[in-house]
Amino acid sequence: MSTKIKINENYKNLKQSYLFSEIARRVRAFEESNPEKSVIRLGIGDVTLPLPAVAVRAMEKAVNEMGEKATFRGYPPEQGYDFLREAILARYRSFNVDLDISEIFVSDGAKSDCGNITDIFGDTPACVPDPVYPVYLDSNIMDGREIVFAEGDESNAFLPTPGGLKERPYIIYLCSPNNPTGSLYDRAGLGEWVNFALKTGSLIIFDAAYEAFIEGNDNPHSIYEIDGAKECSVEVCSFSKFAGFTGARCAWSVFPKSIKVGDTTLNALWSRRQATKFNGVSYIVQRGAAAALSEKGISECMANIAYYKRNALLLADSLSRAGVWFTGGVHSPYLWLKCPAGVGSWEFFNLLLVGESLVGTPGEGFGACGKGFFRLTSFGSYENTLEAAGRLDVFFKKGF
Ligand code: PLP
């Protein structure tokens, strides 16, 4: 039977996301016809190291509390437990950023927040980077919103600027350190966007999911380290890549009360939205997340991040030895390379798979500006990444 309901026609404008299924299909076919080859996957976008021990212990304790009448907890507060929101505030204080607890909203994921936030917007156009983490683009297509692209390319090292944009209000998405390019905005780069937003009455949605990978004392971990950002920026961050919570699920968003829209605030709108549609993150997971933000937790998390970064360095060294142009690999688990000799993204994928049994991600899967580029990730094991770096050396030496 066919229903007579109307659907959201905007869904028909979404591009089929065939990228990862097509990669899986090609790798499967290769493995079936070359069973003796050991394929190494450098396309993994998920963490592979287990949760920090201190978070596991905190969750075990929380499970036991849930099993006792005296300590059992039902629905959590929609905005998160204060013990976790306080821990998040302390993390911001370590970047010299002062926020109020009422500005922190705990959630089950940065992806959900980035997708759900459009609920509170009208038809202001969205400005999304190209290449892009797909949720920014697709959630706006689903809403039928006008979209303009801020293009990344070799000339701006995949750090788009507001330079070419018409001066009007936008909902601007920024991600730094960036997925897929691994590039990082410095203070001046973020400052340009904040000034543009203040001048045009735009809102920035800043995705800091990879903040913990940032090196150096002067690089901004939070957009609120930039003057004026509290007047125009929402920040989304996550325990996924910081504490290995991709499976446990916990994140947060910051809605400064200073962002006014007419006679209300974005904070009030988001609070209303969450109270209506969201029932909070489990107590157990929030206890684990808070433990990850303790002093011991941070040091365990940073040890895991150092492991991935050592992998990234192996890959970066190999690309540098071969004279290949790339971004990322320093403040990020991602490396974004220019396919040599004008080779296309998918052609490069095939050459790397057939030649060296290595798998990465064709850049054009992240947008038109990704054509001719390719993403490698450092979330695999050290041993595999070391082997992969050796294979990359051989691959580039052969030439094209
Ligand atoms: N933001 C970016 C830029 C990401 O790359 C990812 C995951 O890959 C996420 C957000 C997802 O975060 P979460 O696991 O909290 O939904």
Side-chain angles (χ1 to χ4, degrees):
M1 183 211 113
S2 179
T3 71
K4 297 210 165 51
I5 65 158
K6 287 188 180 164
I7 61 160
N8 179 345
E9 295 288 328
N10 296 320
Y11 276 59
K12 294 183 179 161
N13 298 326
L14 293 166
K15 286 217 182 77
Q16 277 313 322
S17 138
Y18 71 101
L19 178 69
F20 288 99
S21 54
E22 178 59 17
I23 291 172
R25 192 190 65 73
R26 291 190 191 202
V27 174
R28 213 169 30 246
F30 177 76
E31 284 181 316
E32 274 164 20
S33 42
N34 300 275
E36 75 293 354
K37 298 261 170 81
S38 76
V39 171
I40 298 180
R41 288 168 169 78
L42 297 173
I44 307 170
D46 197 353
V47 294
T48 52
L49 293 174
L51 294 172
V54 67
V56 173
R57 279 198 301 279
M59 286 196 267
E60 284 169 348
K61 183 165 174 274
V63 168
N64 290 328
E65 285 176 42
M66 294 292 269
E68 298 290 334
K69 188 157 178 49
T71 46
F72 168 78
R73 315 236 178 173
Y75 288 119
E78 294 109 11
Q79 299 188 357
Y81 282 106
D82 281 359
F83 63 77
L84 178 55
R85 296 163 88 203
E86 291 288 359
I88 292 168
L89 289 182
R91 173 101 183 134
Y92 278 105
R93 275 197 298 276
S94 73
F95 311 140
N96 293 319
V97 170
D98 266 318
L99 295 167
D100 186 77
I101 194 161
S102 60
E103 298 176 315
I104 308 289
F105 293 78
V106 173
S107 78
D108 65 352
K111 187 177 187 177
S112 349
D113 283 358
C114 288
N116 292 333
I117 195 172
T118 60
D119 273 13
I120 63 172
F121 301 141
D123 61 3
T124 302
C127 170
V128 301
D130 181 358
V132 66
Y133 175 54
V135 65
Y136 315 150
L137 178 63
D138 287 351
S139 52
N140 281 292
I141 292 177
M142 287 169 177
D143 282 5
R145 193 167 284 108
E146 180 190 341
I147 296 166
V148 302
F149 290 98
E151 295 185 349
D153 57 29
E154 211 176 329
S155 74
N156 58 25
F158 285 92
L159 290 167
T161 70
L165 291 175
K166 207 161 113 188
E167 293 204 353
R168 57 180 289 188
Y170 298 95
I171 296 155
I172 299 166
Y173 291 78
L174 295 178
C175 176
S176 176
N178 188 273
N179 178 13
T181 68
S183 50
L184 174 82
Y185 281 108
D186 61 11
R187 277 174 203 281
L190 273 190
E192 242 186 281
W193 278 108
V194 168
N195 288 339
F196 177 82
L198 292 171
K199 190 168 168 197
T200 55
S202 298
L203 176 77
I204 294 174
I205 300 168
F206 186 71
D207 184 343
Y210 296 91
E211 159 276 305
F213 284 77
I214 295 175
E215 303 251 340
N217 292 332
D218 199 44
N219 286 316
H221 288 246
S222 161
I223 196 157
Y224 303 121
E225 292 178 60
I226 309 299
D227 282 346
K230 275 192 196 164
E231 315 304 316
C232 63
S233 312
V234 165
E235 181 161 300
V236 181
C237 200
S238 174
F239 289 91
S240 283
K241 304 294 156 78
F242 164 62
F245 269 48
T246 54
R249 311 303 305 141
C250 197
W252 74 86
S253 287
V254 182
F255 284 77
K257 287 195 153 154
S258 38
I259 308 180
K260 304 251 169 24
V261 209
D263 57 359
T264 185
T265 61
L266 275 192
N267 181 292
L269 289 177
W270 186 246
S271 185
R272 186 72 173 86
R273 190 264 171 213
Q274 291 297 79
T276 303
K277 295 195 180 181
F278 184 59
N279 248 345
V281 175
S282 94
Y283 172 68
I284 299 161
V285 168
Q286 290 194 57
R287 277 292 180 201
L293 283 176
S294 66
E295 202 178 320
K296 188 154 191 321
I298 290 175
S299 92
E300 287 184 24
C301 291
M302 292 316 285
N304 285 357
I305 286 171
Y307 179 94
Y308 298 131
K309 286 175 71 151
R310 183 170 61 150
N311 289 348
L313 203 60
L314 288 174
L315 299 173
D317 284 347
S318 176
L319 297 179
S320 299
R321 277 193 294 275
V324 173
W325 189 93
F326 69 99
T327 56
V330 180
H331 309 283
S332 165
Y334 300 118
L335 297 100
W336 178 255
L337 65 98
K338 183 178 178 190
C339 306
V343 168
S345 301
W346 278 108
E347 195 187 340
F348 188 83
F349 175 92
N350 285 338
L351 289 170
L352 199 56
L353 178 61
V354 172
E356 303 301 330
S357 310
L358 293 177
V359 181
T361 313
E364 64 187 78
F366 300 99
C369 291
K371 271 203 170 88
F373 289 82
F374 199 77
R375 192 188 75 169
L376 301 175
T377 79
S378 67
F379 284 122
S381 71
Y382 175 71
E383 294 71 22
N384 276 352
T385 312
L386 187 62
E387 164 72 21
R391 291 189 199 176
L392 282 175
D393 285 344
V394 173
F395 178 72
F396 287 116
K397 260 202 197 106
K398 282 190 212 151
F400 289 83

